Amino acid sequence: AIGQIDAWANQVPTLGMRAGIFQKHGIVLENFGTQGAGETLQAVISGSADIGIGVGTPGAMRAFAKGAPVRVLAAGYTGVGDIYWFVPANSPIKDVKDITDKHTIAYSNSGSTSDSVLRALIAHYGLKAKPTSTGGPPPTLTMTMSGQIDVGWSVAPFGLKELQAKTIRVVLRGSEVPSMRNQTVRVEIVNANALK
């Protein structure tokens, strides 16, 4: 199970299969995407998936601490430079100072990297906007462009076309949180029973 399957940091299983790397070692992966770490955790905990890719470290630790049958296999990604928050180009929100308690701000789902980074950004800037779960980048883009959410979230490479076309504008970046720049923010997990 791969959270945000086409995000740069999570493409190793799909690209490795396409390139034949796993097959050379007798491994065949059955990859499928989820809307983020929360769904990936659910798939691994339930045994629907043996391995989960791109799970937010805090979410994996929370699940383990509550007795869920999950174990960390490896560090997945360090730093948060690939996550950003954006507004439509015509939004009155020009930068972080314009985000108020009257605004909604997106994250994918609870336990995800976008959730933990958004919480850190809220604390760092003292933001009062209402955090709102919107799922993956494609539905978040639609919700943001249609005005259902004020500030959307995304992860590279999603939204690069819109940034180049200047239909969206970045107002926050994960890299703005000093405390998370060198942290392992995503891990690869395995179902404990599959690991046995």
Side-chain angles (χ1 to χ4, degrees):
I2 305 169
Q4 314 304 344
I5 195 165
D6 290 323
W8 283 343
N10 297 345
Q11 290 184 344
V12 170
T14 54
L15 294 177
M17 284 297 293
R18 282 188 215 141
I21 295 168
F22 291 104
Q23 295 90 324
K24 277 198 241 179
H25 300 281
I27 299 170
V28 177
L29 302 177
E30 295 177 32
N31 297 316
F32 64 92
T34 70
Q35 289 295 308
E39 287 182 21
T40 303
L41 270 166
Q42 290 171 10
V44 173
I45 289 168
S46 71
S48 298
D50 296 322
I51 297 172
I53 302 296
V55 175
T57 304
M61 292 171 67
R62 246 187 327 271
F64 175 80
K66 291 182 178 183
V70 297
R71 302 295 182 266
V72 171
L73 273 177
Y77 194 79
T78 300
V80 287
D82 62 334
I83 299 176
Y84 62 93
W85 282 260
F86 66 93
V87 296
N90 62 356
S91 170
I93 299 171
K94 303 295 182 206
D95 63 33
V96 67
K97 293 179 289 235
D98 299 325
I99 302 171
T100 71
D101 61 346
K102 294 178 178 32
H103 297 119
T104 53
I105 189 165
Y107 66 96
S108 67
N109 52 42
S110 296
S112 67
T113 303
S114 62
D115 179 20
S116 60
V117 176
L118 178 58
R119 290 176 192 275
L121 284 167
I122 286 171
H124 182 71
Y125 286 112
L127 297 175
K128 304 291 184 216
K130 180 182 176 195
T132 306
S133 176
T134 56
T140 301
L141 179 64
T142 300
M143 286 185 249
T144 307
M145 299 309 281
S146 65
Q148 297 171 66
I149 191 97
D150 297 304
V151 182
W153 84 276
S154 197
V155 61
F158 295 106
L160 294 182
K161 181 178 73 174
E162 290 78 10
L163 282 167
Q164 287 177 333
K166 299 187 189 294
T167 58
I168 65 172
R169 181 175 54 255
V170 173
V171 293
L172 283 166
R173 288 178 171 78
S175 59
E176 294 171 30
V177 182
S179 65
M180 296 184 89
R181 287 184 189 139
N182 297 313
Q183 284 186 16
T184 298
V185 295
R186 291 188 203 104
V187 292
E188 319 310 8
I189 62 171
V190 62
N191 178 288
N193 297 320
L195 182 61
K196 287 179 192 172

